[in-house]
Amino acid sequence: GAGVSQTPSNKVTEKGKYVELRCDPISGHTALYWYRQSLGQGPEFLIYFQGTGAADDSGLPNDRFFAVRPEGSVSTLKIQRTERGDSAVYLCASSLGGVNTEAFFGQGTRLTVV
Amino acid sequence: AQSVTQLDSQVPVFEEAPVELRCNYSSSVSVYLFWYVQYPNQGLQLLLKYLSGSTLVKGINGFEAEFNKSQTSFHLRKPSVHISDTAEYFCAVSGKGAQKLVFGQGTRLTINP
């Protein structure tokens, strides 16, 4: 595609519910990243995939958060038992991989837990 | 580990005036440095990056930044701003060889006519 696509753009869910956020990276990009941006803050790293495998998941805040990328393209961020503190904009980015390549960001999914 | 401090949360300037957005970082290893811009209702877009070589880096839309290793700074500058530069600007750092970015809290640049 032309850019990184994230769906839905907005998601409102009740506390305790399960949510899935989807990221469709730029075609051919092997690296994929998830970040979380809380109100008034900069993006915070969650997890990085190289191909199908999670190369670095050190930013996932706890075991309620999980992400997959089964075919090395689309990724899904899954949040179980959502809490109000999970409310944020979840950003996805992709790149060709390698340390010098630019990461392209999607517009994000705004998650609101009520 | 790395951290980034953007010293100003908001910077108001008049159109056609110069602007400097300040960024300081800390790291125990060598780093790459980045500036991203986020226009209203859009995703983050790379403005410029420092990987190695010349410490003065030029980016898109007339922006430039200078890497100062002794002061651990990477300030962003533009000699003359336009209304269209109104946006949130984020400084970011990654350790050399690392993939993840560590972002600052952002600076909101507001251009007044």
Side-chain angles (χ1 to χ4, degrees), chain A residues 31 33 35 37 40-45 48 50 56 58-59 91 95 97-108, chain B residues 32 34 36 38 40-47 49 51 88 90 94-106:
Chain A
Y33 315 79
Y35 289 81
Q37 187 173 16
Q41 304 293 318
E44 178 187 20
F45 171 79
Y48 153 60
Q50 181 58 48
D56 183 353
S58 62
L91 299 171
S95 76
V99 294
N100 289 351
T101 58
E102 178 181 348
F104 293 83
F105 282 80
Q107 290 188 283
Chain B
Y32 298 138
F34 307 80
Y36 281 84
Q38 189 172 34
N41 301 316
Q42 295 188 29
L44 286 163
Q45 179 182 358
L46 181 66
L47 265 181
K49 61 185 177 184
L51 303 179
E88 187 104 24
F90 293 94
S94 71
K96 283 190 177 179
Q99 289 290 331
K100 66 183 181 184
L101 295 167
V102 176
F103 286 86
Q105 292 187 309

Side-chain angles (χ1 to χ4, degrees), chain B residues 45-110:
Chain B
Q45 179 182 358
L46 181 66
L47 265 181
L48 49 78
K49 61 185 177 184
Y50 171 79
L51 303 179
S52 65
S54 172
T55 57
L56 183 63
V57 180
K58 293 189 183 297
I60 62 171
N61 300 339
F63 284 92
E64 64 180 31
E66 185 152 22
F67 170 53
N68 187 319
K69 188 175 181 180
S70 64
Q71 297 188 5
T72 60
S73 68
F74 191 55
H75 300 334
L76 181 70
R77 294 189 288 260
K78 185 169 182 178
S80 175
V81 295
H82 303 285
I83 292 285
S84 59
D85 293 322
T86 296
E88 187 104 24
Y89 291 79
F90 293 94
C91 181
V93 64
S94 71
K96 283 190 177 179
Q99 289 290 331
K100 66 183 181 184
L101 295 167
V102 176
F103 286 86
Q105 292 187 309
T107 297
R108 183 171 300 276
L109 178 63
T110 305

